[in-house]
Amino acid sequence: MTKDGIYKINGKISLEKVEPEHASKKDRVTFYADVRINNHMKNKAEALSAIGLYKTHKEAIDEALDYLINSLPNEDKRRLKFQIETLEDRDVRMKGKT
């Protein structure tokens, strides 16, 4: 592209369909939810962030869950993935009806 914003084409041009770049489903929050935890669980998450391993309690809990999921046998991971996708799809459908 030149300084004035004009493109000069040399050679062959092809068009191909590309998928739009969207945030992953994990990054798109459908809605926020509260989960009740006891003070011991809260203190563990707070301690993990206090020693600098994580920036927030939420990040500590999310990473701990990811660690647990990654340690599961493949069959359990497959079943869990299906359950998570089902729940995520339900959330999108339910929030879309409001």
Side-chain angles (χ1 to χ4, degrees):
M1 180 165 66
T2 62
K3 290 181 183 178
D4 56 2
I6 298 173
Y7 288 89
K8 181 177 180 183
I9 301 170
N10 296 317
K12 188 177 180 180
I13 299 174
S14 66
L15 297 174
E16 61 185 85
K17 186 175 181 179
V18 294
E19 294 297 320
E21 293 183 20
H22 296 294
S24 71
K25 281 185 179 180
K26 182 180 178 181
D27 295 333
R28 287 182 278 164
V29 176
T30 307
F31 63 92
Y32 288 92
D34 294 323
V35 176
R36 289 185 59 98
I37 60 173
N38 64 40
N39 67 305
H40 304 294
M41 295 165 61
K42 180 195 74 68
N43 290 341
K44 288 176 187 177
E46 189 171 345
L48 286 168
S49 60
I51 63 172
L53 293 177
Y54 303 101
K55 293 178 185 174
T56 64
H57 299 86
K58 185 173 90 173
E59 185 181 305
I61 292 167
D62 192 42
E63 291 289 325
L65 287 169
D66 285 345
Y67 182 81
L68 171 66
I69 291 167
N70 288 333
S71 70
L72 293 173
N74 287 335
E75 179 59 20
D76 288 341
K77 284 183 196 175
R78 186 192 63 75
R79 291 174 34 228
L80 182 65
K81 180 181 176 188
F82 176 77
Q83 288 296 321
I84 291 170
E85 288 172 357
T86 300
L87 294 168
E88 294 285 347
D89 290 344
R90 181 204 60 193
D91 291 346
V92 169
R93 278 193 319 277
M94 296 304 289
K95 284 298 176 180
K97 291 182 180 180
T98 59

